[in-house]
Amino acid sequence: MAARIQSIEVAKVTRLFGSTCALRSVSATFEAGGITFLLGPNGAGKSTLLSIIGTALRPTSGVVRYPPGDPSLAEVRGQVGWVAHDSRCYRELSGRENVEFAARLYGLDAPSAWARVAALVGIDRFGERPVGTLSRGQRQRVALARALVHRPSVLLMDEPWSGLDTASAARLEEVLDDERRRGTIVVVVTHGTDVVDRLGGRRLVLRRGGVVES
């Protein structure tokens, strides 16, 4: 297994979509045990930056490094847990089946991996139901369990609080705080600022593809 990623170094990253510049010469460092909140208006480049950090997109120019060492693309992806704005779970499968499927992809014992993350995020009660029958908050908990199943060193989340009820939002904050204490690099796209203050995270504010505050 590759060594845990200790930091992410984004150096002068620009990303173009045709003639549209989504990111322009962005530089930032994300450290283990820290939570960084990507803030800014719609179209600022937050989700694009998250996708580049998670290797789902390549920068047009610039570079992203993942110390220590020089891990391959596959090794980096094996260290990343991702919760998108939509859960992207298989709706016809149960929450448990979604999580156990992911666990097997990482070569883990699926039942024990399920038991660990189900308790962690609080999905024991509805985990046997098809994902298509769950509320948005419940689906996001399943997605979070799936993202954490392999104990990633990087956790990326795109507007995870959108549509959550109070209980689901509180559980999410608890999990993020636990992950920070475990030494995970946590990067979250959000429009809310109150959670930033509660969790004591760092703000990285984007506007028109550039960093305006860090």
Side-chain angles (χ1 to χ4, degrees):
M1 180 179 292
R4 284 181 65 83
I5 295 169
Q6 296 299 314
S7 67
I8 301 173
E9 299 170 356
V10 177
K12 297 183 178 179
V13 162
T14 292
R15 173 68 197 201
L16 301 175
F17 293 98
S19 61
T20 300
C21 185
L23 291 176
R24 59 184 79 242
S25 195
V26 170
S27 295
T29 300
F30 307 88
E31 301 287 352
I35 300 180
T36 301
F37 293 93
L38 303 183
L39 303 170
N42 291 337
K46 306 183 296 298
S47 295
T48 300
L49 178 57
L50 200 73
S51 295
I52 286 175
I53 291 171
T55 75
L57 284 177
R58 293 181 179 272
T60 303
S61 63
V63 65
V64 183
R65 302 183 184 89
Y66 304 87
D70 185 22
S72 67
L73 188 64
E75 288 172 332
V76 171
R77 288 176 174 171
Q79 292 284 324
V80 173
W82 195 305
V83 179
H85 182 61
D86 181 89
S87 71
R88 298 183 182 175
C89 294
Y90 294 104
R91 296 175 66 86
E92 68 277 13
L93 300 181
S94 69
R96 177 173 186 152
E97 288 169 333
N98 271 277
V99 173
E100 289 190 345
F101 177 71
R104 286 191 291 271
L105 291 178
Y106 289 107
L108 304 175
D109 178 73
S112 61
W114 158 257
R116 176 177 58 84
V117 293
L120 179 66
V121 305
I123 58 177
D124 311 70
R125 180 171 53 84
F126 52 83
E128 303 294 345
R129 291 166 48 192
V131 166
T133 69
L134 303 179
S135 69
R136 171 170 169 75
Q138 291 170 334
R139 292 197 304 270
Q140 286 299 88
R141 287 204 203 188
V142 172
L144 180 58
R146 184 185 56 188
L148 296 175
V149 74
H150 57 304
R151 294 186 172 92
S153 54
V154 180
L155 179 61
L156 307 178
M157 311 188 77
D158 196 345
E159 298 189 27
W161 283 278
S162 177
L164 297 192
D165 59 25
T166 301
S168 294
R171 177 59 67 97
L172 175 57
E173 289 186 30
E174 291 173 4
V175 170
L176 290 184
D177 195 45
D178 288 344
E179 286 301 304
R180 172 175 57 186
R181 296 175 189 277
R182 197 171 69 84
T184 304
I185 300 169
V186 181
V187 186
V188 183
V189 171
T190 183
H191 286 287
T193 58
D194 52 344
V195 67
V196 182
D197 297 329
R198 286 197 299 273
L199 290 177
R202 165 198 176 201
R203 301 168 184 242
L204 188 68
V205 183
L206 299 175
R207 186 171 290 114
R208 295 182 179 177
V211 176
V212 296
E213 180 185 339
S214 177

PDB file of all heavy atoms in Angstrom, residues 78-110:
ATOM      1  N   GLY A  78      -6.158   5.769  -4.903  1.00  0.00           N
ATOM      2  CA  GLY A  78      -6.394   4.813  -3.829  1.00  0.00           C
ATOM      3  C   GLY A  78      -6.389   5.431  -2.450  1.00  0.00           C
ATOM      4  O   GLY A  78      -6.804   4.785  -1.476  1.00  0.00           O
ATOM      5  N   GLN A  79      -5.916   6.683  -2.348  1.00  0.00           N
ATOM      6  CA  GLN A  79      -5.847   7.378  -1.066  1.00  0.00           C
ATOM      7  C   GLN A  79      -6.955   8.419  -0.908  1.00  0.00           C
ATOM      8  O   GLN A  79      -7.033   9.100   0.119  1.00  0.00           O
ATOM      9  CB  GLN A  79      -4.486   8.079  -0.933  1.00  0.00           C
ATOM     10  CG  GLN A  79      -3.300   7.155  -0.809  1.00  0.00           C
ATOM     11  CD  GLN A  79      -3.203   6.553   0.567  1.00  0.00           C
ATOM     12  OE1 GLN A  79      -3.510   7.182   1.571  1.00  0.00           O
ATOM     13  NE2 GLN A  79      -2.784   5.309   0.632  1.00  0.00           N
ATOM     14  N   VAL A  80      -7.800   8.551  -1.922  1.00  0.00           N
ATOM     15  CA  VAL A  80      -8.818   9.612  -1.933  1.00  0.00           C
ATOM     16  C   VAL A  80     -10.195   9.029  -1.635  1.00  0.00           C
ATOM     17  O   VAL A  80     -10.590   8.014  -2.203  1.00  0.00           O
ATOM     18  CB  VAL A  80      -8.839  10.341  -3.293  1.00  0.00           C
ATOM     19  CG1 VAL A  80     -10.009  11.325  -3.369  1.00  0.00           C
ATOM     20  CG2 VAL A  80      -7.522  11.074  -3.524  1.00  0.00           C
ATOM     21  N   GLY A  81     -10.923   9.688  -0.733  1.00  0.00           N
ATOM     22  CA  GLY A  81     -12.335   9.428  -0.526  1.00  0.00           C
ATOM     23  C   GLY A  81     -13.114  10.634  -1.006  1.00  0.00           C
ATOM     24  O   GLY A  81     -12.712  11.772  -0.747  1.00  0.00           O
ATOM     25  N   TRP A  82     -14.210  10.395  -1.726  1.00  0.00           N
ATOM     26  CA  TRP A  82     -14.908  11.495  -2.393  1.00  0.00           C
ATOM     27  C   TRP A  82     -16.398  11.421  -2.092  1.00  0.00           C
ATOM     28  O   TRP A  82     -17.022  10.373  -2.254  1.00  0.00           O
ATOM     29  CB  TRP A  82     -14.680  11.395  -3.906  1.00  0.00           C
ATOM     30  CG  TRP A  82     -15.031  12.630  -4.680  1.00  0.00           C
ATOM     31  CD1 TRP A  82     -16.236  13.272  -4.674  1.00  0.00           C
ATOM     32  CD2 TRP A  82     -14.193  13.372  -5.550  1.00  0.00           C
ATOM     33  NE1 TRP A  82     -16.198  14.374  -5.500  1.00  0.00           N
ATOM     34  CE2 TRP A  82     -14.951  14.452  -6.046  1.00  0.00           C
ATOM     35  CE3 TRP A  82     -12.873  13.222  -5.964  1.00  0.00           C
ATOM     36  CZ2 TRP A  82     -14.432  15.383  -6.940  1.00  0.00           C
ATOM     37  CZ3 TRP A  82     -12.362  14.148  -6.847  1.00  0.00           C
ATOM     38  CH2 TRP A  82     -13.125  15.215  -7.333  1.00  0.00           C
ATOM     39  N   VAL A  83     -16.977  12.566  -1.685  1.00  0.00           N
ATOM     40  CA  VAL A  83     -18.423  12.697  -1.545  1.00  0.00           C
ATOM     41  C   VAL A  83     -18.854  13.841  -2.456  1.00  0.00           C
ATOM     42  O   VAL A  83     -18.559  15.004  -2.182  1.00  0.00           O
ATOM     43  CB  VAL A  83     -18.855  12.970  -0.091  1.00  0.00           C
ATOM     44  CG1 VAL A  83     -20.378  13.118  -0.015  1.00  0.00           C
ATOM     45  CG2 VAL A  83     -18.387  11.850   0.829  1.00  0.00           C
ATOM     46  N   ALA A  84     -19.538  13.499  -3.555  1.00  0.00           N
ATOM     47  CA  ALA A  84     -19.977  14.508  -4.518  1.00  0.00           C
ATOM     48  C   ALA A  84     -21.271  15.153  -4.038  1.00  0.00           C
ATOM     49  O   ALA A  84     -21.887  14.723  -3.052  1.00  0.00           O
ATOM     50  CB  ALA A  84     -20.172  13.871  -5.890  1.00  0.00           C
ATOM     51  N   HIS A  85     -21.691  16.204  -4.758  1.00  0.00           N
ATOM     52  CA  HIS A  85     -22.951  16.881  -4.417  1.00  0.00           C
ATOM     53  C   HIS A  85     -24.118  15.904  -4.513  1.00  0.00           C
ATOM     54  O   HIS A  85     -25.042  15.936  -3.707  1.00  0.00           O
ATOM     55  CB  HIS A  85     -23.165  18.067  -5.356  1.00  0.00           C
ATOM     56  CG  HIS A  85     -24.406  18.849  -5.070  1.00  0.00           C
ATOM     57  ND1 HIS A  85     -24.626  19.492  -3.873  1.00  0.00           N
ATOM     58  CD2 HIS A  85     -25.511  19.078  -5.822  1.00  0.00           C
ATOM     59  CE1 HIS A  85     -25.798  20.090  -3.895  1.00  0.00           C
ATOM     60  NE2 HIS A  85     -26.369  19.851  -5.068  1.00  0.00           N
ATOM     61  N   ASP A  86     -24.066  15.011  -5.489  1.00  0.00           N
ATOM     62  CA  ASP A  86     -25.018  13.901  -5.577  1.00  0.00           C
ATOM     63  C   ASP A  86     -24.309  12.648  -5.066  1.00  0.00           C
ATOM     64  O   ASP A  86     -23.114  12.468  -5.300  1.00  0.00           O
ATOM     65  CB  ASP A  86     -25.462  13.700  -7.022  1.00  0.00           C
ATOM     66  CG  ASP A  86     -26.466  12.567  -7.160  1.00  0.00           C
ATOM     67  OD1 ASP A  86     -27.678  12.829  -7.039  1.00  0.00           O
ATOM     68  OD2 ASP A  86     -26.025  11.425  -7.375  1.00  0.00           O
ATOM     69  N   SER A  87     -25.028  11.774  -4.383  1.00  0.00           N
ATOM     70  CA  SER A  87     -24.383  10.631  -3.734  1.00  0.00           C
ATOM     71  C   SER A  87     -23.715   9.684  -4.720  1.00  0.00           C
ATOM     72  O   SER A  87     -22.738   9.014  -4.378  1.00  0.00           O
ATOM     73  CB  SER A  87     -25.412   9.851  -2.914  1.00  0.00           C
ATOM     74  OG  SER A  87     -26.327   9.165  -3.741  1.00  0.00           O
ATOM     75  N   ARG A  88     -24.227   9.593  -5.938  1.00  0.00           N
ATOM     76  CA  ARG A  88     -23.685   8.704  -6.970  1.00  0.00           C
ATOM     77  C   ARG A  88     -23.642   7.248  -6.524  1.00  0.00           C
ATOM     78  O   ARG A  88     -22.762   6.476  -6.946  1.00  0.00           O
ATOM     79  CB  ARG A  88     -22.296   9.177  -7.417  1.00  0.00           C
ATOM     80  CG  ARG A  88     -22.306  10.557  -8.054  1.00  0.00           C
ATOM     81  CD  ARG A  88     -20.956  10.996  -8.557  1.00  0.00           C
ATOM     82  NE  ARG A  88     -21.000  12.331  -9.120  1.00  0.00           N
ATOM     83  CZ  ARG A  88     -19.930  12.998  -9.549  1.00  0.00           C
ATOM     84  NH1 ARG A  88     -18.738  12.438  -9.487  1.00  0.00           N
ATOM     85  NH2 ARG A  88     -20.053  14.213 -10.049  1.00  0.00           N
ATOM     86  N   CYS A  89     -24.556   6.866  -5.674  1.00  0.00           N
ATOM     87  CA  CYS A  89     -24.688   5.468  -5.265  1.00  0.00           C
ATOM     88  C   CYS A  89     -25.574   4.733  -6.264  1.00  0.00           C
ATOM     89  O   CYS A  89     -26.376   5.343  -6.969  1.00  0.00           O
ATOM     90  CB  CYS A  89     -25.299   5.368  -3.871  1.00  0.00           C
ATOM     91  SG  CYS A  89     -24.247   6.029  -2.558  1.00  0.00           S
ATOM     92  N   TYR A  90     -25.440   3.421  -6.301  1.00  0.00           N
ATOM     93  CA  TYR A  90     -26.328   2.598  -7.112  1.00  0.00           C
ATOM     94  C   TYR A  90     -27.677   2.532  -6.406  1.00  0.00           C
ATOM     95  O   TYR A  90     -27.809   1.929  -5.341  1.00  0.00           O
ATOM     96  CB  TYR A  90     -25.746   1.196  -7.295  1.00  0.00           C
ATOM     97  CG  TYR A  90     -24.465   1.183  -8.103  1.00  0.00           C
ATOM     98  CD1 TYR A  90     -23.227   1.014  -7.482  1.00  0.00           C
ATOM     99  CD2 TYR A  90     -24.499   1.346  -9.485  1.00  0.00           C
ATOM    100  CE1 TYR A  90     -22.054   0.998  -8.227  1.00  0.00           C
ATOM    101  CE2 TYR A  90     -23.332   1.344 -10.231  1.00  0.00           C
ATOM    102  CZ  TYR A  90     -22.113   1.163  -9.595  1.00  0.00           C
ATOM    103  OH  TYR A  90     -20.954   1.168 -10.345  1.00  0.00           O
ATOM    104  N   ARG A  91     -28.676   3.145  -7.015  1.00  0.00           N
ATOM    105  CA  ARG A  91     -29.961   3.329  -6.336  1.00  0.00           C
ATOM    106  C   ARG A  91     -30.710   2.024  -6.119  1.00  0.00           C
ATOM    107  O   ARG A  91     -31.493   1.910  -5.174  1.00  0.00           O
ATOM    108  CB  ARG A  91     -30.826   4.317  -7.133  1.00  0.00           C
ATOM    109  CG  ARG A  91     -30.244   5.722  -7.220  1.00  0.00           C
ATOM    110  CD  ARG A  91     -31.078   6.626  -8.109  1.00  0.00           C
ATOM    111  NE  ARG A  91     -32.384   6.874  -7.561  1.00  0.00           N
ATOM    112  CZ  ARG A  91     -32.677   7.839  -6.690  1.00  0.00           C
ATOM    113  NH1 ARG A  91     -31.715   8.635  -6.248  1.00  0.00           N
ATOM    114  NH2 ARG A  91     -33.902   8.004  -6.254  1.00  0.00           N
ATOM    115  N   GLU A  92     -30.482   1.033  -6.971  1.00  0.00           N
ATOM    116  CA  GLU A  92     -31.186  -0.225  -6.814  1.00  0.00           C
ATOM    117  C   GLU A  92     -30.558  -1.124  -5.736  1.00  0.00           C
ATOM    118  O   GLU A  92     -31.173  -2.102  -5.297  1.00  0.00           O
ATOM    119  CB  GLU A  92     -31.243  -0.984  -8.151  1.00  0.00           C
ATOM    120  CG  GLU A  92     -29.916  -1.495  -8.651  1.00  0.00           C
ATOM    121  CD  GLU A  92     -29.093  -0.459  -9.414  1.00  0.00           C
ATOM    122  OE1 GLU A  92     -29.453   0.742  -9.346  1.00  0.00           O
ATOM    123  OE2 GLU A  92     -28.113  -0.853 -10.064  1.00  0.00           O
ATOM    124  N   LEU A  93     -29.335  -0.797  -5.331  1.00  0.00           N
ATOM    125  CA  LEU A  93     -28.665  -1.550  -4.282  1.00  0.00           C
ATOM    126  C   LEU A  93     -28.930  -0.903  -2.926  1.00  0.00           C
ATOM    127  O   LEU A  93     -29.210   0.294  -2.827  1.00  0.00           O
ATOM    128  CB  LEU A  93     -27.157  -1.599  -4.525  1.00  0.00           C
ATOM    129  CG  LEU A  93     -26.676  -2.243  -5.829  1.00  0.00           C
ATOM    130  CD1 LEU A  93     -25.159  -2.231  -5.886  1.00  0.00           C
ATOM    131  CD2 LEU A  93     -27.211  -3.655  -5.975  1.00  0.00           C
ATOM    132  N   SER A  94     -28.793  -1.697  -1.876  1.00  0.00           N
ATOM    133  CA  SER A  94     -28.931  -1.141  -0.529  1.00  0.00           C
ATOM    134  C   SER A  94     -27.690  -0.330  -0.179  1.00  0.00           C
ATOM    135  O   SER A  94     -26.649  -0.423  -0.852  1.00  0.00           O
ATOM    136  CB  SER A  94     -29.117  -2.267   0.488  1.00  0.00           C
ATOM    137  OG  SER A  94     -27.913  -3.014   0.622  1.00  0.00           O
ATOM    138  N   GLY A  95     -27.799   0.448   0.895  1.00  0.00           N
ATOM    139  CA  GLY A  95     -26.630   1.174   1.370  1.00  0.00           C
ATOM    140  C   GLY A  95     -25.493   0.224   1.684  1.00  0.00           C
ATOM    141  O   GLY A  95     -24.331   0.480   1.336  1.00  0.00           O
ATOM    142  N   ARG A  96     -25.820  -0.868   2.349  1.00  0.00           N
ATOM    143  CA  ARG A  96     -24.795  -1.854   2.694  1.00  0.00           C
ATOM    144  C   ARG A  96     -24.137  -2.429   1.443  1.00  0.00           C
ATOM    145  O   ARG A  96     -22.898  -2.553   1.386  1.00  0.00           O
ATOM    146  CB  ARG A  96     -25.408  -2.973   3.520  1.00  0.00           C
ATOM    147  CG  ARG A  96     -24.420  -4.081   3.862  1.00  0.00           C
ATOM    148  CD  ARG A  96     -25.018  -5.085   4.823  1.00  0.00           C
ATOM    149  NE  ARG A  96     -24.017  -6.048   5.240  1.00  0.00           N
ATOM    150  CZ  ARG A  96     -24.017  -6.678   6.390  1.00  0.00           C
ATOM    151  NH1 ARG A  96     -24.981  -6.444   7.277  1.00  0.00           N
ATOM    152  NH2 ARG A  96     -23.074  -7.552   6.692  1.00  0.00           N
ATOM    153  N   GLU A  97     -24.924  -2.751   0.435  1.00  0.00           N
ATOM    154  CA  GLU A  97     -24.359  -3.325  -0.787  1.00  0.00           C
ATOM    155  C   GLU A  97     -23.448  -2.320  -1.496  1.00  0.00           C
ATOM    156  O   GLU A  97     -22.402  -2.697  -2.048  1.00  0.00           O
ATOM    157  CB  GLU A  97     -25.485  -3.778  -1.710  1.00  0.00           C
ATOM    158  CG  GLU A  97     -26.204  -5.021  -1.206  1.00  0.00           C
ATOM    159  CD  GLU A  97     -27.485  -5.316  -1.970  1.00  0.00           C
ATOM    160  OE1 GLU A  97     -28.103  -4.359  -2.505  1.00  0.00           O
ATOM    161  OE2 GLU A  97     -27.859  -6.504  -2.026  1.00  0.00           O
ATOM    162  N   ASN A  98     -23.821  -1.041  -1.495  1.00  0.00           N
ATOM    163  CA  ASN A  98     -22.962  -0.017  -2.078  1.00  0.00           C
ATOM    164  C   ASN A  98     -21.620   0.059  -1.366  1.00  0.00           C
ATOM    165  O   ASN A  98     -20.561   0.108  -2.001  1.00  0.00           O
ATOM    166  CB  ASN A  98     -23.656   1.346  -2.019  1.00  0.00           C
ATOM    167  CG  ASN A  98     -24.524   1.641  -3.228  1.00  0.00           C
ATOM    168  OD1 ASN A  98     -24.032   2.084  -4.255  1.00  0.00           O
ATOM    169  ND2 ASN A  98     -25.820   1.377  -3.101  1.00  0.00           N
ATOM    170  N   VAL A  99     -21.661   0.066  -0.050  1.00  0.00           N
ATOM    171  CA  VAL A  99     -20.428   0.197   0.731  1.00  0.00           C
ATOM    172  C   VAL A  99     -19.571  -1.062   0.611  1.00  0.00           C
ATOM    173  O   VAL A  99     -18.340  -0.980   0.452  1.00  0.00           O
ATOM    174  CB  VAL A  99     -20.765   0.503   2.206  1.00  0.00           C
ATOM    175  CG1 VAL A  99     -19.502   0.470   3.065  1.00  0.00           C
ATOM    176  CG2 VAL A  99     -21.444   1.873   2.318  1.00  0.00           C
ATOM    177  N   GLU A 100     -20.203  -2.218   0.674  1.00  0.00           N
ATOM    178  CA  GLU A 100     -19.441  -3.465   0.582  1.00  0.00           C
ATOM    179  C   GLU A 100     -18.826  -3.639  -0.809  1.00  0.00           C
ATOM    180  O   GLU A 100     -17.721  -4.175  -0.943  1.00  0.00           O
ATOM    181  CB  GLU A 100     -20.311  -4.657   0.940  1.00  0.00           C
ATOM    182  CG  GLU A 100     -20.656  -4.716   2.426  1.00  0.00           C
ATOM    183  CD  GLU A 100     -21.315  -6.019   2.833  1.00  0.00           C
ATOM    184  OE1 GLU A 100     -21.765  -6.772   1.934  1.00  0.00           O
ATOM    185  OE2 GLU A 100     -21.377  -6.295   4.049  1.00  0.00           O
ATOM    186  N   PHE A 101     -19.525  -3.182  -1.835  1.00  0.00           N
ATOM    187  CA  PHE A 101     -18.966  -3.224  -3.190  1.00  0.00           C
ATOM    188  C   PHE A 101     -17.682  -2.399  -3.247  1.00  0.00           C
ATOM    189  O   PHE A 101     -16.659  -2.836  -3.791  1.00  0.00           O
ATOM    190  CB  PHE A 101     -19.989  -2.712  -4.191  1.00  0.00           C
ATOM    191  CG  PHE A 101     -19.487  -2.641  -5.603  1.00  0.00           C
ATOM    192  CD1 PHE A 101     -19.246  -3.796  -6.334  1.00  0.00           C
ATOM    193  CD2 PHE A 101     -19.247  -1.418  -6.215  1.00  0.00           C
ATOM    194  CE1 PHE A 101     -18.777  -3.736  -7.646  1.00  0.00           C
ATOM    195  CE2 PHE A 101     -18.781  -1.346  -7.517  1.00  0.00           C
ATOM    196  CZ  PHE A 101     -18.540  -2.510  -8.234  1.00  0.00           C
ATOM    197  N   ALA A 102     -17.718  -1.179  -2.681  1.00  0.00           N
ATOM    198  CA  ALA A 102     -16.524  -0.332  -2.655  1.00  0.00           C
ATOM    199  C   ALA A 102     -15.410  -0.983  -1.847  1.00  0.00           C
ATOM    200  O   ALA A 102     -14.237  -0.945  -2.241  1.00  0.00           O
ATOM    201  CB  ALA A 102     -16.871   1.036  -2.075  1.00  0.00           C
ATOM    202  N   ALA A 103     -15.760  -1.592  -0.717  1.00  0.00           N
ATOM    203  CA  ALA A 103     -14.756  -2.244   0.125  1.00  0.00           C
ATOM    204  C   ALA A 103     -14.023  -3.345  -0.643  1.00  0.00           C
ATOM    205  O   ALA A 103     -12.786  -3.470  -0.561  1.00  0.00           O
ATOM    206  CB  ALA A 103     -15.419  -2.815   1.373  1.00  0.00           C
ATOM    207  N   ARG A 104     -14.762  -4.143  -1.406  1.00  0.00           N
ATOM    208  CA  ARG A 104     -14.126  -5.225  -2.169  1.00  0.00           C
ATOM    209  C   ARG A 104     -13.195  -4.677  -3.240  1.00  0.00           C
ATOM    210  O   ARG A 104     -12.159  -5.283  -3.540  1.00  0.00           O
ATOM    211  CB  ARG A 104     -15.194  -6.120  -2.791  1.00  0.00           C
ATOM    212  CG  ARG A 104     -15.892  -7.025  -1.770  1.00  0.00           C
ATOM    213  CD  ARG A 104     -16.742  -8.081  -2.441  1.00  0.00           C
ATOM    214  NE  ARG A 104     -17.911  -7.499  -3.104  1.00  0.00           N
ATOM    215  CZ  ARG A 104     -19.084  -7.303  -2.505  1.00  0.00           C
ATOM    216  NH1 ARG A 104     -19.250  -7.654  -1.238  1.00  0.00           N
ATOM    217  NH2 ARG A 104     -20.091  -6.780  -3.177  1.00  0.00           N
ATOM    218  N   LEU A 105     -13.546  -3.522  -3.828  1.00  0.00           N
ATOM    219  CA  LEU A 105     -12.659  -2.908  -4.822  1.00  0.00           C
ATOM    220  C   LEU A 105     -11.310  -2.546  -4.210  1.00  0.00           C
ATOM    221  O   LEU A 105     -10.290  -2.540  -4.911  1.00  0.00           O
ATOM    222  CB  LEU A 105     -13.318  -1.656  -5.413  1.00  0.00           C
ATOM    223  CG  LEU A 105     -14.538  -1.871  -6.312  1.00  0.00           C
ATOM    224  CD1 LEU A 105     -15.094  -0.537  -6.772  1.00  0.00           C
ATOM    225  CD2 LEU A 105     -14.190  -2.732  -7.519  1.00  0.00           C
ATOM    226  N   TYR A 106     -11.300  -2.231  -2.932  1.00  0.00           N
ATOM    227  CA  TYR A 106     -10.050  -1.904  -2.242  1.00  0.00           C
ATOM    228  C   TYR A 106      -9.405  -3.127  -1.598  1.00  0.00           C
ATOM    229  O   TYR A 106      -8.424  -3.000  -0.856  1.00  0.00           O
ATOM    230  CB  TYR A 106     -10.307  -0.839  -1.171  1.00  0.00           C
ATOM    231  CG  TYR A 106     -10.605   0.530  -1.739  1.00  0.00           C
ATOM    232  CD1 TYR A 106     -11.896   1.064  -1.711  1.00  0.00           C
ATOM    233  CD2 TYR A 106      -9.592   1.296  -2.318  1.00  0.00           C
ATOM    234  CE1 TYR A 106     -12.170   2.317  -2.231  1.00  0.00           C
ATOM    235  CE2 TYR A 106      -9.864   2.553  -2.843  1.00  0.00           C
ATOM    236  CZ  TYR A 106     -11.150   3.054  -2.797  1.00  0.00           C
ATOM    237  OH  TYR A 106     -11.413   4.295  -3.318  1.00  0.00           O
ATOM    238  N   GLY A 107      -9.948  -4.308  -1.869  1.00  0.00           N
ATOM    239  CA  GLY A 107      -9.361  -5.523  -1.326  1.00  0.00           C
ATOM    240  C   GLY A 107      -9.615  -5.737   0.151  1.00  0.00           C
ATOM    241  O   GLY A 107      -8.849  -6.438   0.819  1.00  0.00           O
ATOM    242  N   LEU A 108     -10.680  -5.156   0.682  1.00  0.00           N
ATOM    243  CA  LEU A 108     -10.990  -5.240   2.104  1.00  0.00           C
ATOM    244  C   LEU A 108     -12.007  -6.339   2.371  1.00  0.00           C
ATOM    245  O   LEU A 108     -12.740  -6.766   1.472  1.00  0.00           O
ATOM    246  CB  LEU A 108     -11.547  -3.896   2.601  1.00  0.00           C
ATOM    247  CG  LEU A 108     -10.672  -2.665   2.375  1.00  0.00           C
ATOM    248  CD1 LEU A 108     -11.422  -1.411   2.806  1.00  0.00           C
ATOM    249  CD2 LEU A 108      -9.359  -2.791   3.136  1.00  0.00           C
ATOM    250  N   ASP A 109     -12.052  -6.793   3.616  1.00  0.00           N
ATOM    251  CA  ASP A 109     -13.111  -7.700   4.042  1.00  0.00           C
ATOM    252  C   ASP A 109     -14.396  -6.887   4.140  1.00  0.00           C
ATOM    253  O   ASP A 109     -14.531  -6.025   5.015  1.00  0.00           O
ATOM    254  CB  ASP A 109     -12.766  -8.319   5.394  1.00  0.00           C
ATOM    255  CG  ASP A 109     -13.865  -9.237   5.883  1.00  0.00           C
ATOM    256  OD1 ASP A 109     -14.013 -10.332   5.346  1.00  0.00           O
ATOM    257  OD2 ASP A 109     -14.602  -8.827   6.814  1.00  0.00           O
ATOM    258  N   ALA A 110     -15.335  -7.149   3.231  1.00  0.00           N
ATOM    259  CA  ALA A 110     -16.505  -6.288   3.081  1.00  0.00           C
ATOM    260  C   ALA A 110     -17.387  -6.215   4.329  1.00  0.00           C
ATOM    261  O   ALA A 110     -17.763  -5.116   4.753  1.00  0.00           O
ATOM    262  CB  ALA A 110     -17.323  -6.714   1.864  1.00  0.00           C
TER     263      ALA A 110
END
